[in-house]
């Protein structure tokens, strides 16, 4: 298991996944590699999907898409904010991404598989289907960008050892 933890190293997931998949292919009888990251983290290194497909690595990329860094805005709220003709960069918070970006469709460019899901049953089905294939897959999970967050506790990282 490779995990960047809470060090703010967004975007390293696909690099980790490529390394893990190459190792798995050569030494672990093609064990499955699943990379779980947010839409913002995917934005840092998303074009590594070309590398994944070119090397025929069966990486399953799960993108938790909340349309932003931390959280985005619902399509209706985003539209209201940018509707007055000002640049979205002026009126929308800097942590917002475009609502509803179809990241899974990037796989069309490189020959992999992409699915967009938004409910638990469809997520289960998409993951099961991806695990049954030997090819690169993006599962774009659209979640409510306005949903609350569970508090994150990293005592192992923040607790003083003194």
């Amino acid at each position: 298991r490779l995990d960047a933890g809470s060090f703010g190293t967004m975007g390293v997931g696909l690099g980790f996944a490529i390394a893990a998949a190459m190792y798995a292919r050569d030494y672990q009888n093609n064990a499955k590699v699943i990379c779980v990251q947010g839409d913002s983290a995917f934005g840092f290194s998303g074009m590594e999907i070309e590398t994944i497909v070119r090397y025929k690595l069966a990486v399953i990329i799960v993108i938790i898409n909340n349309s932003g860094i931390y959280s985005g805005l619902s399509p209706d709220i985003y539209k209201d904010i940018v509707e007055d003709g000002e640049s979205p960069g002026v009126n929308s918070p800097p942590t917002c991404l475009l609502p509803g970006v179809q990241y899974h469709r990037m796989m069309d460019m490189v020959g992999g598989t992409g699915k967009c899901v938004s409910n638990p049953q469809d997520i289960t089905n998409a993951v099961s289907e991806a695990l049954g294939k030997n090819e690169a897959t993006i599962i774009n999970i659209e979640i409510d960008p306005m949903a609350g967050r569970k508090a994150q506790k990293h005592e192992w990282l923040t607790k003083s050892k003194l």
Side-chain angles (χ1 to χ4, degrees):
R1 176 179 182 190
L2 299 171
D3 185 351
S6 61
F7 293 109
T9 51
M10 288 173 48
V12 300
L14 291 180
F16 283 2
I18 290 168
M22 292 181 86
Y23 181 87
R25 180 189 62 200
D26 296 342
Y27 300 105
Q28 295 292 319
N29 197 28
N30 287 313
K32 298 296 182 179
V33 174
I34 301 174
C35 176
V36 179
Q37 57 188 2
D39 52 340
S40 182
F42 181 76
F44 282 94
S45 58
M47 285 314 298
E48 290 299 340
I49 63 171
E50 187 277 335
T51 304
I52 291 168
V53 171
R54 181 166 27 104
Y55 281 88
K56 297 179 175 55
L57 302 173
V59 175
I60 301 166
I61 304 163
V62 177
I63 301 171
I64 309 300
N65 184 351
N66 67 349
S67 302
I69 303 167
Y70 309 114
S71 64
L73 299 171
S74 71
D76 291 335
I77 293 173
Y78 186 85
K79 182 181 174 192
D80 288 344
I81 287 174
V82 300
E83 202 167 57
D84 68 4
E86 283 287 335
S87 164
V90 172
N91 286 349
S92 65
T95 57
C96 285
L97 302 174
L98 288 172
V101 173
Q102 303 296 298
Y103 296 105
H104 59 285
R105 294 185 65 195
M106 291 176 68
M107 286 307 232
D108 294 341
M109 298 183 307
V110 295
T113 298
K115 297 272 184 189
C116 184
V117 296
S118 60
N119 67 62
Q121 186 58 53
D122 289 345
I123 294 167
T124 300
N125 293 342
V127 171
S128 295
E129 184 179 323
L131 287 170
K133 294 181 176 181
N134 194 32
E135 66 181 15
T137 303
I138 288 179
I139 301 171
N140 180 22
I141 302 175
E142 293 183 330
I143 64 170
D144 180 358
M146 306 301 285
R149 292 173 50 107
K150 179 179 175 185
Q152 302 294 304
K153 295 182 182 181
H154 301 285
E155 292 180 9
W156 55 270
L157 180 63
T158 58
K159 189 182 230 182
S160 173
K161 304 284 188 216
L162 299 176

